[in-house]
Amino acid sequence: MSSDLDVFVGNTTLIDEEVYRLWLDGHSVAEAVARRLRGGVLEREGTSVAVLQSDTRDHYRTFQMLERLLHAPPRLLQQLLFQIPPERQALLVQRYYAFDEALARELLGKKLSKGTKKELDEVSARTGVGIRSCRRQFDNFKRVFKAVEELRGPLAENIQQLFLLDYAAIVFFANSRFETGKRRLQFLSFADFAACAQSMMGHWSQGALGEPPDPRAPEAAEPDGDLPKSFLQDLKELKVLVADKDLLDQHKSLVCSALRGKISVYNELEANFKALSRALVNVGGKLTHARDVRDFFVDLVEKVIEPCRSDKWSPGDLRLFLTHYTAARHQALWERYMAAITACLLRMYHD
Amino acid sequence: MPGKLKVKIVAGRHLPVMDRASDLTDAFVEVKFGNTTFKTDVYPKSLNPQWNSEWFKFEVDDEELQDEPLQITVLDHDTYSANDAIGKVYIDIDPLLYSEAATVISGWFPIYDTIHGIRGEINVVVKVDLFNDLNRFRQSSCGVKFFCTTSIPKCYRAVIIHGFVEELVVNEDPEYQWIDRIRTPRASNEARQRLISLMSGELQRKIGLKVLEMRGNAVVGYLQCFDLEGESGLVVRAIGTACTLDKLSNTSAFLPACNSPSKEMKESPLVHPPSHGCRSTHNSPIHTATGSRLTQNFSVSVPTLIYTGMGSGSAGKEGGPFKTLLRQQTQSALEQREFPFFTLTTFPPGFLVHVGGVVSARSVKLLDRIHNPDEPETRDAWWAEIRQEIKSHAKALGCHAVVGYSESTSICEEVCILSASGTAAVLNPRFLQDGTMEGCLEQRIEEASPPGCGFCHIPYDELNMPFPAHLTYCYNCRKQKVPDVLFTTIDLPVEAIVVGKGCLIQARLCRLKKKAQAEANATSISNLLPFMEYEVHTQLMNKLKLRGMNALFGLRIQITVGENMLMGLASATGVYLAALPTPGGIQIAGKTPNDATYDQHISHMQKKINDTIAKNKELYEINPPELPEEIIGSPIPEPRQRSRLLRSQSESSDEVTELDLSHGKKDAFVLEIDDTDAMEDVHSLLTDVPPPSGFYSCNTEIMPGINNWTPEIQMFTAVRVSRLSTINPTNQTLNKNFNDLCENLLKSLYFKLRSMVPCCLCHVNFTVALPEDELVQIAVTAVAITYDKNQALQANKAPTEKSQQRASTDNEEQLQFPLELCSDPLSSQPFSPAKEVLEGASSHTGIPAAQRATSVDYSSFADRCNSWIELIKLKAQTIRRGSIKTTTSLEKASPLAEGYLRHRSVPSCTNSTVSVVKMTPLSFLPGAKITKYLGIINMFFIRETTSLREEGGVSGFLHAFIAEVFAMVRAHVAALGGNAVVSYIMKQCVFMENPNKNQAQCLINVSGDAVIFVRESELEMLPVQPSTAAPQPTSSAGDVTT
């Protein structure tokens, strides 16, 4: 006796969190049933496999119908088809747009193109994230990217309004195409990059200045995902700090006198000051050229983090150095620039 | 009363893309009423058009207002070709026609297309201005209120219950017209939807006229059904109970009407209609259908069993004279009525005097022999015949009235089974007409029949019993005779004294029949029917005894006819009535006593049965107080022809090595196993698994023994279609398959709803259809309600010796449990604790705001990301404010006004979340007061697809359709300003598929009462702040909306 048709519809839509998770992970109904069985529902509820199958199918159908709405989360609020309590709606969206960091790390800075999508098989194998789940997450990234591409205003807020979640980092990276895949960057996690992206957007973007954007300024019309051009242009002025020998010496003596006795790696600092300073300033100077922008993180790691690490600087040493290095000069542009660089470096300075 | 209908089209949203090139739509709207059509401008290139139209005004007479639906069509403008229809909205404007209901319909309606389903939403405002007109010869019945609820609606008082009204209209089914060959499926479906809408309107208007003629002002227990007869036509018929209702206007009237029934009723003045002797119950004008016409139709009347508790005995000595007097007077009151029937299942206290038992009648008809298929005469005559039969059955039981009355049909090809059933009863004449005898009788009636058991006392004469039975003195009052078992179709009376809890009992049965044509077919069906009735009865009786109970309420027997089989499904709620004797056990008697192994087998089974009974008694907490064995029955030995079912008074049978004395002592029910069939039957008895712990189920309004409901409810519909195929189907294998199907369905429901435990499935309503050979379709609609276990335990502990409880629907009791349970879903139901929520994802992904702070320097990021979720939660708060215990802030002190604002909120506010609409098949909402009835919801939808596989197969198709039906019901209720549908019922779900053609079609008909409810906790707040906007919940609701 087979059930050809078997449906259950509640006035309030039933959402089973466990089944939702299985569906999001891309399991088929059969796999989901198998997993639920392993979870011991049968023993707990004293029911049968047939019941479990029927239940799983019901939930899967519901999720498939909901998926269309999940693609535009605000519509989930307005739609009339499913009566879902708001806190459950929030859960649905949160879970749908949640991503595996391993996957996000792989995709950071990559172009969200068809080509990348084809590579997802490998990514799936490397990260251990199911291929169907990989594709869904990839589509989520792409959907968010596409939706905010055209929008004005702060990126993170736009994304929150449309999709509720933290995609800013991914979009920011996809926009700026920072290189993240180099071997020497492998020690950095997605969270590291996301934090860096946040600092950079936080300190460098137009909205971060705390003043209303000037409508006449060219960058006011730019999407927030790109760093303001005028700011990047201004950064070139900083080059004088390392180009002018007097200024460089003056800077060094200020920093060194402030740090003498307070830092365990004083000798190394004194020896390396010029190289470090050059690296720190030049990273900013290069940001105007798209090709050089890609190397932002590579440069920071290669020219700052690695030398410090080999000299056995502690994180505290680095913090102290950067604080005084920044404080030695009083200039709004400098402080604005160094605030993000400092935050990035401190975040990235680990094994 | 001619009137002016005004319609405004405000906006649309989420429209489908109609122009592939631009990915946009050029939408406009046609508004049609009767023969008049208006159009809005085209709103170009938008999926969210803002029409903001002028008011379209239709000047129409009220007859038209009642019959016609307002039809709104959304179209896509196309310059070069015909405009494409996006979808339609039908709005029944009936709720606007009576003064106490809704005054405006305003809100977002799903735009529905019969092929594509819901396609976006449209915001519409509808108003009606009625002009008074003193024309007495009017054809309309504006102002008569309709209720699906089968009890007196909560905020009304019954002044007079007039009685039965019925009507039937016939039309040609558009699906069978010649034009259907050339028109599209969409056009055909729409023609059908529109026709049924028109016919429902006409039917309601005609019934309303009858009510006015009877000087009533309302129809309660209104049940409207469709018969899709096929070639011979489409029948819409309705029955109901005409009443004169009085709106309870002050808050004190909110107090339970049943608190002190007698007192309250004496105080309340009765309105005497000047003339009650109206002939209005002369229902069908063509009632006097001539015999000659009838003989042309093939008709087989089926001898009907009368179910009752089998009992007899003379009326108690003291009560005698009064009873006779009462009977005479009731008789006189009821005899003026052609059919003294009442569709109500719950009654005002004191209304129901005695209950006789279930009466039912069935008749098999051939539809292709209808002489004049377009006219209602023949069908009217058919139903009149059946009602006459019911009436005479009731008389045979010494009753003058039938309560809990309902009618149904089952159609397969040209064969139609008409069924009617109800409960024979003796009623208190006080409610039926003027109260002349009231003064002298009232006191005595109350003395004569104690409230807790009076209805159990037999109405018939002990010496002149309609059937062999076994009577004892009432276990409650010891004065009157009661039967040993009582079957009824009504709800458990509020005042009834019950022991323990109730449970859902079902009898399931399949009978094969040969495929045959015309008369031969009808004859074989009518030959089978009595056997099925008998079997169903036996099963019910056995299962009842197996649970140690003695009465059935809400009994509904459905017999469904298919090509090659008949199916019977009976559902009822079993209960132990304290007034009736303890049921005896079930004993099995073997046929061949010499065989040792056989004996062993028998005794093994006997033990199993005894164990089951003992287990059930524990499960349902049936511990009746021990009674001294002084009660003497007057058993009348009965000659029974049917061999298998025997009753005997044998004191504990010797072959049973049983210890349980409780049913060993009483006379037992003997099942004689004389063949394998019987063995199967006994086996099948034992296959019914009790629900998992924490679950109870019933098919009545209230669950006997549970009354501490929490406000958490979940209404659902489940549908299954299964193939009962076996190569050589026998009755046994079919029975087993059918039984498994039902049991599995129930199991699946329990699993689905496991998170609501402890809970009770109430008003479980099964419907069976046989869409094709060997295909069985079962549809279940029910509501799961959580109850407070702790309180239940306390309530049980407190009166320890009092294991008897009142089965109470009493709302006042419901409001006493705390509502905190639901007040904070976040805390009570945390997001799945940590386990796999994060799964390597960073802190923002699954953590509720409350726990968020833990994260690292990254948290400020997470903070911002959570803002949207915060927003949703904020909205959740706003919505939940409707359900949580409010504090004393001024703003929250007037939830009514707030609710009003919420529902009437400006449509253009696109951010507003959708207001929650509760749905329930019950007539009440736990923990809430219904403050206003907004009108009847009666909707009929057709959905068809030609891409079945693409829509997820039959399950995907039906799943989406049922969800759409719910959505449309909710949208209509919300537009009326309501927040719930009560007495919701899915009357029809006709599903047809043609997988080879990748096609499927489904018709669904639902109805219910749209209401506004207010949480008890909020009501309590009101008197505290009398100066605020809503000082009196009942009346003010009406004022606010006007």
Side-chain angles (χ1 to χ4, degrees), chain B residues 506-540:
Chain B
Q506 286 192 321
R508 301 145 185 158
L509 190 66
C510 288
R511 279 288 168 271
L512 285 166
K513 82 172 180 62
K514 287 202 184 76
K515 280 194 183 182
Q517 294 299 312
E519 281 91 345
N521 194 15
T523 313
S524 73
I525 292 170
S526 25
N527 287 341
L528 273 174
L529 283 179
F531 290 97
M532 293 194 66
E533 299 252 15
Y534 175 76
E535 290 260 318
V536 164
H537 186 223
T538 311
Q539 261 193 45
L540 284 174

Short mmCIF file of all heavy atoms in Angstrom, two decimals, chain B residues 506-540:
data_model
loop_
_atom_site.label_atom_id
_atom_site.label_comp_id
_atom_site.label_asym_id
_atom_site.label_seq_id
_atom_site.Cartn_x
_atom_site.Cartn_y
_atom_site.Cartn_z
N GLN B 506 -12.74 5.32 16.32
CA GLN B 506 -13.14 5.21 14.93
C GLN B 506 -13.46 3.78 14.57
O GLN B 506 -12.81 2.85 15.02
CB GLN B 506 -12.00 5.70 14.02
CG GLN B 506 -11.83 7.20 14.01
CD GLN B 506 -10.92 7.66 12.88
OE1 GLN B 506 -9.92 7.02 12.59
NE2 GLN B 506 -11.29 8.76 12.25
N ALA B 507 -14.49 3.63 13.74
CA ALA B 507 -14.78 2.34 13.14
C ALA B 507 -14.50 2.49 11.66
O ALA B 507 -14.90 3.48 11.06
CB ALA B 507 -16.23 1.96 13.39
N ARG B 508 -13.78 1.51 11.10
CA ARG B 508 -13.40 1.61 9.69
C ARG B 508 -13.77 0.32 8.98
O ARG B 508 -13.56 -0.76 9.53
CB ARG B 508 -11.91 1.85 9.57
CG ARG B 508 -11.44 3.10 10.27
CD ARG B 508 -10.06 2.88 10.85
NE ARG B 508 -9.63 4.03 11.64
CZ ARG B 508 -8.71 3.96 12.58
NH1 ARG B 508 -8.12 2.82 12.86
NH2 ARG B 508 -8.38 5.03 13.27
N LEU B 509 -14.24 0.48 7.79
CA LEU B 509 -14.80 -0.68 7.12
C LEU B 509 -14.77 -0.53 5.61
O LEU B 509 -15.08 0.54 5.08
CB LEU B 509 -16.26 -0.80 7.59
CG LEU B 509 -17.05 -2.02 7.26
CD1 LEU B 509 -16.45 -3.22 7.97
CD2 LEU B 509 -18.48 -1.82 7.70
N CYS B 510 -14.40 -1.60 4.92
CA CYS B 510 -14.51 -1.64 3.46
C CYS B 510 -15.38 -2.82 3.06
O CYS B 510 -15.31 -3.88 3.67
CB CYS B 510 -13.14 -1.90 2.82
SG CYS B 510 -12.02 -0.55 2.92
N ARG B 511 -16.18 -2.63 2.06
CA ARG B 511 -16.95 -3.75 1.52
C ARG B 511 -16.85 -3.72 0.01
O ARG B 511 -17.16 -2.70 -0.62
CB ARG B 511 -18.43 -3.65 1.93
CG ARG B 511 -18.73 -4.13 3.32
CD ARG B 511 -18.65 -5.67 3.38
NE ARG B 511 -18.65 -6.14 4.76
CZ ARG B 511 -17.56 -6.31 5.50
NH1 ARG B 511 -16.38 -6.04 5.00
NH2 ARG B 511 -17.63 -6.75 6.73
N LEU B 512 -16.41 -4.84 -0.54
CA LEU B 512 -16.34 -4.92 -2.00
C LEU B 512 -17.73 -5.04 -2.57
O LEU B 512 -18.62 -5.62 -1.96
CB LEU B 512 -15.54 -6.16 -2.40
CG LEU B 512 -14.04 -6.07 -2.19
CD1 LEU B 512 -13.43 -7.46 -2.28
CD2 LEU B 512 -13.44 -5.15 -3.23
N LYS B 513 -17.89 -4.51 -3.72
CA LYS B 513 -19.15 -4.75 -4.43
C LYS B 513 -18.82 -4.93 -5.90
O LYS B 513 -17.80 -4.46 -6.40
CB LYS B 513 -20.12 -3.60 -4.21
CG LYS B 513 -19.88 -2.41 -5.11
CD LYS B 513 -20.98 -1.40 -4.97
CE LYS B 513 -20.71 -0.21 -5.90
NZ LYS B 513 -20.69 -0.56 -7.31
N LYS B 514 -19.71 -5.63 -6.58
CA LYS B 514 -19.48 -5.86 -8.01
C LYS B 514 -19.72 -4.56 -8.76
O LYS B 514 -20.57 -3.77 -8.40
CB LYS B 514 -20.42 -6.93 -8.52
CG LYS B 514 -20.07 -8.32 -8.05
CD LYS B 514 -20.67 -9.37 -8.99
CE LYS B 514 -20.42 -10.77 -8.49
NZ LYS B 514 -21.32 -11.14 -7.37
N LYS B 515 -18.95 -4.41 -9.82
CA LYS B 515 -19.24 -3.28 -10.70
C LYS B 515 -20.56 -3.58 -11.39
O LYS B 515 -20.77 -4.69 -11.88
CB LYS B 515 -18.14 -3.13 -11.75
CG LYS B 515 -16.92 -2.43 -11.23
CD LYS B 515 -16.01 -1.98 -12.35
CE LYS B 515 -14.75 -1.35 -11.73
NZ LYS B 515 -13.83 -0.85 -12.71
N ALA B 516 -21.42 -2.61 -11.40
CA ALA B 516 -22.71 -2.86 -12.05
C ALA B 516 -23.25 -1.55 -12.56
O ALA B 516 -22.72 -0.48 -12.29
CB ALA B 516 -23.67 -3.51 -11.06
N GLN B 517 -24.32 -1.62 -13.28
CA GLN B 517 -24.92 -0.44 -13.86
C GLN B 517 -26.27 -0.17 -13.22
O GLN B 517 -26.94 -1.07 -12.73
CB GLN B 517 -25.14 -0.64 -15.38
CG GLN B 517 -23.85 -0.75 -16.17
CD GLN B 517 -22.99 0.50 -16.05
OE1 GLN B 517 -23.48 1.61 -16.21
NE2 GLN B 517 -21.72 0.33 -15.73
N ALA B 518 -26.62 1.06 -13.22
CA ALA B 518 -27.97 1.51 -12.92
C ALA B 518 -28.65 0.78 -11.76
O ALA B 518 -28.08 0.68 -10.68
CB ALA B 518 -28.81 1.43 -14.19
N GLU B 519 -29.83 0.26 -12.01
CA GLU B 519 -30.63 -0.32 -10.93
C GLU B 519 -29.88 -1.43 -10.20
O GLU B 519 -29.92 -1.51 -8.98
CB GLU B 519 -31.96 -0.89 -11.46
CG GLU B 519 -33.03 0.13 -11.72
CD GLU B 519 -32.97 0.66 -13.15
OE1 GLU B 519 -31.94 0.45 -13.83
OE2 GLU B 519 -33.95 1.31 -13.58
N ALA B 520 -29.21 -2.26 -10.97
CA ALA B 520 -28.50 -3.38 -10.35
C ALA B 520 -27.47 -2.84 -9.35
O ALA B 520 -27.35 -3.35 -8.24
CB ALA B 520 -27.82 -4.22 -11.41
N ASN B 521 -26.79 -1.81 -9.77
CA ASN B 521 -25.78 -1.19 -8.92
C ASN B 521 -26.44 -0.63 -7.66
O ASN B 521 -26.00 -0.91 -6.54
CB ASN B 521 -25.09 -0.08 -9.71
CG ASN B 521 -23.82 0.38 -9.04
OD1 ASN B 521 -23.31 -0.30 -8.16
ND2 ASN B 521 -23.33 1.54 -9.45
N ALA B 522 -27.48 0.14 -7.86
CA ALA B 522 -28.17 0.76 -6.73
C ALA B 522 -28.70 -0.29 -5.78
O ALA B 522 -28.62 -0.15 -4.55
CB ALA B 522 -29.30 1.66 -7.23
N THR B 523 -29.22 -1.38 -6.34
CA THR B 523 -29.77 -2.44 -5.49
C THR B 523 -28.66 -3.09 -4.68
O THR B 523 -28.79 -3.29 -3.47
CB THR B 523 -30.48 -3.51 -6.34
OG1 THR B 523 -31.32 -2.84 -7.28
CG2 THR B 523 -31.27 -4.44 -5.48
N SER B 524 -27.54 -3.37 -5.33
CA SER B 524 -26.49 -4.05 -4.58
C SER B 524 -25.95 -3.14 -3.48
O SER B 524 -25.63 -3.60 -2.39
CB SER B 524 -25.39 -4.55 -5.51
OG SER B 524 -24.63 -3.47 -5.97
N ILE B 525 -25.89 -1.84 -3.78
CA ILE B 525 -25.43 -0.90 -2.74
C ILE B 525 -26.41 -0.88 -1.58
O ILE B 525 -26.02 -1.01 -0.41
CB ILE B 525 -25.27 0.52 -3.31
CG1 ILE B 525 -24.11 0.56 -4.30
CG2 ILE B 525 -25.04 1.53 -2.19
CD1 ILE B 525 -24.01 1.84 -5.08
N SER B 526 -27.68 -0.80 -1.90
CA SER B 526 -28.63 -0.70 -0.79
C SER B 526 -28.72 -2.01 -0.02
O SER B 526 -29.07 -2.01 1.15
CB SER B 526 -30.00 -0.23 -1.24
OG SER B 526 -30.22 -0.52 -2.56
N ASN B 527 -28.37 -3.12 -0.68
CA ASN B 527 -28.32 -4.37 0.08
C ASN B 527 -27.14 -4.40 1.03
O ASN B 527 -27.21 -4.99 2.10
CB ASN B 527 -28.23 -5.56 -0.88
CG ASN B 527 -29.55 -5.80 -1.58
OD1 ASN B 527 -30.60 -5.32 -1.11
ND2 ASN B 527 -29.51 -6.50 -2.69
N LEU B 528 -26.07 -3.76 0.61
CA LEU B 528 -24.87 -3.77 1.45
C LEU B 528 -24.99 -2.82 2.65
O LEU B 528 -24.44 -3.09 3.71
CB LEU B 528 -23.65 -3.35 0.63
CG LEU B 528 -22.91 -4.44 -0.13
CD1 LEU B 528 -21.84 -3.81 -1.01
CD2 LEU B 528 -22.27 -5.42 0.84
N LEU B 529 -25.70 -1.72 2.44
CA LEU B 529 -25.72 -0.67 3.46
C LEU B 529 -26.09 -1.15 4.86
O LEU B 529 -25.39 -0.82 5.82
CB LEU B 529 -26.62 0.49 3.02
CG LEU B 529 -26.01 1.41 1.96
CD1 LEU B 529 -27.00 2.50 1.57
CD2 LEU B 529 -24.73 2.04 2.49
N PRO B 530 -27.18 -1.92 5.02
CA PRO B 530 -27.53 -2.32 6.39
C PRO B 530 -26.42 -3.13 7.05
O PRO B 530 -26.17 -2.97 8.25
CB PRO B 530 -28.78 -3.17 6.21
CG PRO B 530 -29.23 -2.97 4.83
CD PRO B 530 -28.12 -2.42 4.02
N PHE B 531 -25.75 -3.97 6.27
CA PHE B 531 -24.66 -4.75 6.85
C PHE B 531 -23.53 -3.85 7.31
O PHE B 531 -22.92 -4.06 8.34
CB PHE B 531 -24.16 -5.78 5.84
CG PHE B 531 -25.16 -6.86 5.59
CD1 PHE B 531 -26.00 -6.80 4.49
CD2 PHE B 531 -25.29 -7.92 6.47
CE1 PHE B 531 -26.95 -7.77 4.27
CE2 PHE B 531 -26.23 -8.90 6.26
CZ PHE B 531 -27.08 -8.83 5.15
N MET B 532 -23.26 -2.85 6.49
CA MET B 532 -22.19 -1.94 6.86
C MET B 532 -22.54 -1.18 8.13
O MET B 532 -21.73 -1.05 9.04
CB MET B 532 -21.93 -0.95 5.72
CG MET B 532 -21.35 -1.64 4.52
SD MET B 532 -20.67 -0.50 3.33
CE MET B 532 -19.29 0.20 4.20
N GLU B 533 -23.78 -0.72 8.18
CA GLU B 533 -24.22 0.00 9.38
C GLU B 533 -24.06 -0.88 10.61
O GLU B 533 -23.59 -0.45 11.65
CB GLU B 533 -25.69 0.41 9.24
CG GLU B 533 -25.95 1.32 8.07
CD GLU B 533 -26.25 2.74 8.50
OE1 GLU B 533 -25.97 3.07 9.66
OE2 GLU B 533 -26.76 3.50 7.66
N TYR B 534 -24.45 -2.12 10.43
CA TYR B 534 -24.39 -3.05 11.56
C TYR B 534 -22.95 -3.27 12.00
O TYR B 534 -22.62 -3.22 13.19
CB TYR B 534 -25.04 -4.37 11.14
CG TYR B 534 -24.92 -5.42 12.20
CD1 TYR B 534 -25.72 -5.38 13.34
CD2 TYR B 534 -23.98 -6.42 12.07
CE1 TYR B 534 -25.59 -6.33 14.32
CE2 TYR B 534 -23.84 -7.38 13.05
CZ TYR B 534 -24.65 -7.33 14.18
OH TYR B 534 -24.50 -8.26 15.16
N GLU B 535 -22.08 -3.49 11.01
CA GLU B 535 -20.67 -3.72 11.31
C GLU B 535 -20.03 -2.50 11.99
O GLU B 535 -19.27 -2.65 12.94
CB GLU B 535 -19.91 -4.00 10.02
CG GLU B 535 -20.24 -5.32 9.40
CD GLU B 535 -19.20 -6.37 9.72
OE1 GLU B 535 -18.02 -6.02 9.67
OE2 GLU B 535 -19.58 -7.50 10.05
N VAL B 536 -20.36 -1.35 11.44
CA VAL B 536 -19.81 -0.12 12.02
C VAL B 536 -20.24 0.00 13.47
O VAL B 536 -19.46 0.30 14.36
CB VAL B 536 -20.27 1.10 11.21
CG1 VAL B 536 -20.05 2.38 11.99
CG2 VAL B 536 -19.53 1.17 9.89
N HIS B 537 -21.51 -0.31 13.68
CA HIS B 537 -22.04 -0.22 15.03
C HIS B 537 -21.33 -1.19 15.97
O HIS B 537 -20.96 -0.85 17.09
CB HIS B 537 -23.55 -0.51 14.98
CG HIS B 537 -24.22 -0.32 16.28
ND1 HIS B 537 -25.15 -1.18 16.78
CD2 HIS B 537 -24.08 0.65 17.20
CE1 HIS B 537 -25.56 -0.76 17.95
NE2 HIS B 537 -24.93 0.36 18.23
N THR B 538 -21.15 -2.42 15.48
CA THR B 538 -20.48 -3.42 16.31
C THR B 538 -19.06 -2.98 16.64
O THR B 538 -18.62 -3.06 17.79
CB THR B 538 -20.43 -4.76 15.54
OG1 THR B 538 -21.72 -5.04 15.05
CG2 THR B 538 -19.97 -5.87 16.45
N GLN B 539 -18.36 -2.51 15.62
CA GLN B 539 -16.98 -2.05 15.86
C GLN B 539 -16.93 -0.94 16.89
O GLN B 539 -16.11 -0.97 17.81
CB GLN B 539 -16.38 -1.51 14.56
CG GLN B 539 -15.50 -2.48 13.83
CD GLN B 539 -14.71 -1.77 12.74
OE1 GLN B 539 -14.16 -0.69 12.95
NE2 GLN B 539 -14.66 -2.37 11.57
N LEU B 540 -17.84 0.02 16.74
CA LEU B 540 -17.86 1.14 17.67
C LEU B 540 -18.10 0.64 19.08
O LEU B 540 -17.44 1.03 20.04
CB LEU B 540 -18.96 2.14 17.29
CG LEU B 540 -18.68 3.05 16.10
CD1 LEU B 540 -19.92 3.85 15.77
CD2 LEU B 540 -17.51 3.99 16.41
#
